[in-house]
Amino acid sequence: MAENGTGEEVMESFEVLLEKSTAIHGHVCAGQVIGVRLAMLGLENIGIDQPRGRDRKKFYVLVEIDRCATDAIQTVTGCSLGKRSLKWLDYGIMAATFVNLEDGRGVRITAREEARELADLYCPEIEDKYRRQLEAYRVMPEEELFTVQRVRVAIVPEDMPGRPLRRVQCSCCGDWIQDGREVENGAGLICRPCANGRYYEVIA
Ligand SMILES: [Zn+2]
Ligand SMILES: [Zn+2]
């Protein structure tokens, strides 16, 4: 957390946040640059300026991809899956939505595909394509990098941070299910894997 000299905490600069996200992610990449800028823009749009301080319980983030930029969004916002302040939707789209839980303001920001081509105009002297994108994304204006949409997000109580609202036992496999993820079938309440099929096969 940075300070502005009056003892008040302010949002850290792009460079400081990029350094932090690079340390957490393990390498600097175009995704870190995009993710840091996207998260800063998202927070600004919903009126959050101390995401890790005073404002940390006032907002919520949904990411639509599990790639490099997602780590940067997590670093800048301080949101995480474990805190339930970050939701991952497996859409494969380079976009994230930021929701202010106090006033309902929401914004969905998408990284524009066109930015890849535009990168050539900004740093033509850099030969390596990925390095060129990384450097260009630092300086490109927001409107060339991102599409911003005002959105409304219906967040259900079962998705909110805090203690689980209920726990039920699957009447089929016996696993315990939290947060209302159970499904009703004729025989009773069952877990989603029992209802929809499993991603694993038990072999022992
Ligand atoms: Zn990366
Ligand atoms: Zn089950």
Side-chain angles (χ1 to χ4, degrees):
M1 194 68 61
E3 231 202 75
N4 64 4
T6 62
E8 201 182 318
E9 288 165 346
V10 291
M11 183 82 144
E12 282 158 322
S13 72
F14 166 77
E15 292 299 335
V16 170
L17 289 168
L18 181 64
E19 216 169 277
K20 288 188 177 175
S21 84
T22 300
I24 286 170
H25 181 59
H27 61 244
V28 68
C29 59
Q32 297 313 292
V33 177
I34 290 273
V36 169
R37 291 194 64 184
L38 190 152
M40 291 177 79
L41 182 63
L43 293 173
E44 185 191 317
N45 267 278
I46 59 164
I48 298 294
D49 48 29
Q50 295 178 28
R52 290 173 167 276
R54 187 183 63 194
D55 296 338
R56 68 187 184 284
K57 292 189 173 165
K58 295 184 185 167
F59 70 103
Y60 188 96
V61 179
L62 302 101
V63 293
E64 300 182 16
I65 198 164
D66 54 345
R67 285 206 167 265
C68 293
T70 306
D71 279 353
I73 292 170
Q74 181 163 345
T75 303
V76 173
T77 61
C79 293
S80 75
L81 279 176
K83 283 186 263 184
R84 306 193 95 216
S85 48
L86 182 75
K87 284 274 178 275
W88 169 47
L89 301 152
D90 194 8
Y91 294 169
I93 299 172
M94 190 49 255
T97 295
F98 302 77
V99 183
N100 184 318
L101 292 169
E102 286 188 332
D103 60 17
R105 253 184 299 175
V107 70
R108 177 173 180 263
I109 303 182
T110 315
R112 298 178 71 228
E113 188 63 23
E114 294 83 344
R116 291 174 188 272
E117 307 295 321
L118 284 169
D120 297 345
L121 302 176
Y122 283 89
C123 303
E125 72 285 1
I126 303 175
E127 271 180 35
D128 177 72
K129 190 176 106 189
Y130 296 104
R131 192 77 215 168
R132 188 162 66 235
Q133 284 175 350
L134 191 160
E135 292 305 327
Y137 294 164
R138 283 173 181 267
V139 294
M140 278 168 78
E142 272 162 5
E143 55 278 15
E144 286 185 356
L145 266 184
F146 303 118
T147 301
V148 178
Q149 298 166 295
R150 295 268 150 213
V151 295
R152 190 178 299 127
V153 181
I155 295 177
V156 295
E158 292 91 321
D159 282 352
M160 291 293 288
R163 290 186 165 280
L165 295 179
R166 64 178 181 276
R167 294 166 51 82
V168 303
Q169 191 170 21
C170 174
S171 61
C172 182
C173 71
D175 280 351
W176 283 87
I177 314 150
Q178 303 190 37
D179 302 313
R181 268 52 175 178
E182 65 273 13
V183 192
E184 169 79 61
N185 83 343
L189 296 173
I190 60 171
C191 71
R192 286 179 175 181
C194 283
N196 307 324
R198 303 183 139 69
Y199 67 89
Y200 60 89
E201 188 188 342
V202 178
I203 50 173

